[in-house]
Amino acid sequence: MEPLIEEAALESKGASLDAMTAPTGDTKKVETRRKSPTQIALARLRKDKVAMICIGVFSFFILIAVFAPLLVKLEGQDTTTLHQDLLDQYGFPTISATSDHWFGVEPRLGRDLFARFVYGARPSLIVAISVTLITGLVGVVMGLLAGFLGGWVDRIISWVIDFVLSLPYLLFAIAVPAVILTLFVADASTADTSEVTRARFASLILVLSFFGWASLARLIRGEVLSLREREFIAAARVLGVPTHKVLFKELLPNLVAPIIISTSLALPSYIVAEAGLTFLGVGLVEPTPSWGLTISNATTYYRADPLYLWLPVLAISILVLSLSLLGDSIRDAFDPRTRR
């Protein structure tokens, strides 16, 4: 990547370009500062107010997930205690938000809603970030190999990419958890809840990662096909640079922009996917706190207790919207031609 040159201010405000280039011996050297395209894009991103607000919102939810035990301790509650004394004979809460229960209690069971809300941020963020990292790593490596090596390697990887993209995503998302539970849990009905939770967690990450890497690999392959004909790649080949160095030291730095843009736009989609699959009953299960699970349980109580439903819905909506806007800002920062 050729560095861009940014002109620095002259030491003397009255100095002119003619005076600098005149052969009098009193010329002054212009100080220059080298910036890579990535540094320029990050500087442009820091000036984007929408991007900074979105980063703040995302950081806020990250802090909620990280410090969930501390927040619950401050409230004085937990995620499992059943406050049956705060429910009427029909299972509806007799209290709203109080100093003891900041968001009230859950209908039917009486569990503290604030505790389950802050702990519910963890599964969505853990699954989304884990899947983004896995799909990014696999997609970049497969795309690099397919685009640079070509030949039978490209044909095999391209066939695998097309095969993965043609599979029915929802059917696999429903079937895989049952298969994993059968393989790793002897009897799901009598197994410990922690074992079932780990199996469900692994199945979510496995399914989303399996279907997520192919689109990024196809994008990277297309970029590499255009870059491998450039002069600096030909020069590296002539000099006998090993293939792995050409891939990761010559090609990869030129792919920073599409990788960052793709992963930033994929992160909110995985958050929605985790919540959606849990809502459909093929994701996490009780007693694991999850926003998708809370939404699924709250659909029958949304009239009697609107806060029960709308808290996780608003949290997911705000988080996904902020990440989507952040992804758009990152795309605009790396490609000024798309700026609105």
Side-chain angles (χ1 to χ4, degrees):
M1 299 175 70
E2 297 180 357
L4 302 179
I5 305 299
E6 184 180 89
E7 294 186 358
L10 296 176
E11 294 181 1
S12 174
K13 293 183 178 180
S16 63
L17 186 61
D18 293 333
M20 291 168 51
T21 57
T24 60
D26 297 332
T27 58
K28 293 184 178 181
K29 186 183 295 184
V30 178
E31 294 182 1
T32 59
R33 183 174 53 187
R34 295 173 180 269
K35 280 189 176 182
S36 68
T38 302
Q39 291 174 325
I40 294 174
L42 293 177
R44 192 180 294 124
L45 188 65
R46 284 193 293 268
K47 296 179 182 178
D48 192 333
K49 294 182 179 179
V50 174
M52 292 298 101
I53 293 174
C54 293
I55 291 175
V57 173
F58 181 55
S59 302
F60 173 73
F61 282 102
I62 290 289
L63 292 175
I64 286 179
V66 171
F67 295 104
L70 178 61
L71 294 173
V72 171
K73 188 176 180 180
L74 289 175
E75 188 198 22
Q77 304 296 333
D78 56 60
T79 60
T80 57
T81 302
L82 306 180
H83 301 278
Q84 296 289 332
D85 56 316
L86 301 178
L87 304 176
D88 61 16
Q89 58 181 338
Y90 302 106
F92 293 101
T94 57
I95 63 168
S96 56
T98 64
S99 58
D100 293 328
H101 303 278
W102 295 351
F103 290 166
V105 295
E106 183 183 22
R108 190 172 59 87
L109 295 176
R111 295 178 297 189
D112 185 76
L113 286 182
F114 177 78
R116 296 190 63 80
F117 174 80
V118 294
Y119 271 99
R122 288 185 165 190
S124 297
L125 292 173
I126 291 174
V127 169
I129 294 174
S130 301
V131 172
T132 301
L133 293 176
I134 294 172
T135 55
L137 178 62
V138 176
V140 169
V141 172
M142 299 298 282
L144 281 172
L145 294 176
F148 183 75
L149 298 179
W152 63 271
V153 175
D154 184 23
R155 289 194 294 271
I156 292 176
I157 295 177
S158 298
W159 182 87
V160 173
I161 291 173
D162 294 336
F163 175 74
V164 171
L165 293 176
S166 67
L167 293 175
Y169 160 73
L170 189 58
L171 292 180
F172 271 77
I174 295 174
V176 168
V179 174
I180 291 181
L181 283 174
T182 303
L183 293 176
F184 296 99
V185 180
D187 187 357
S189 59
T190 59
D192 185 68
T193 55
S194 60
E195 295 182 7
V196 177
T197 299
R198 284 194 296 267
R200 291 278 188 170
F201 232 100
S203 65
L204 270 179
I205 295 176
L206 178 63
V207 169
L208 295 178
S209 300
F210 179 76
F211 285 95
W213 69 270
S215 57
L216 178 59
R218 173 178 284 182
L219 172 65
I220 297 301
R221 174 184 175 272
E223 294 287 337
V224 173
L225 286 176
S226 62
L227 286 173
R228 73 177 184 179
E229 305 300 330
R230 300 283 292 274
E231 292 80 1
F232 67 97
I233 298 298
R237 284 177 165 179
V238 170
L239 293 174
V241 178
T243 301
H244 68 276
K245 289 187 176 181
V246 175
L247 289 175
F248 296 104
K249 290 190 176 181
E250 300 293 338
L251 282 174
L252 190 58
N254 291 275
L255 299 172
V256 171
I259 291 172
I260 293 178
I261 293 170
S262 178
T263 53
S264 63
L265 293 175
L267 185 60
S269 66
Y270 294 134
I271 293 175
V272 174
E274 184 276 329
L277 292 175
T278 302
F279 177 82
L280 293 175
V282 294
L284 303 178
V285 294
E286 292 285 3
T288 306
S290 169
W291 287 343
L293 195 58
T294 301
I295 294 172
S296 178
N297 295 334
T299 52
T300 56
Y301 297 98
Y302 71 94
R303 289 186 178 179
D305 192 358
L307 195 63
Y308 184 26
L309 173 66
W310 288 110
L311 274 175
V313 169
L314 288 175
I316 292 175
S317 301
I318 293 172
L319 180 57
V320 170
L321 177 61
S322 63
L323 288 174
S324 299
L325 293 176
L326 178 59
D328 291 339
S329 298
I330 292 174
R331 180 191 59 198
D332 295 342
F334 278 92
D335 187 2
R337 294 172 298 178
T338 64
R339 292 191 69 80
R340 297 179 290 274

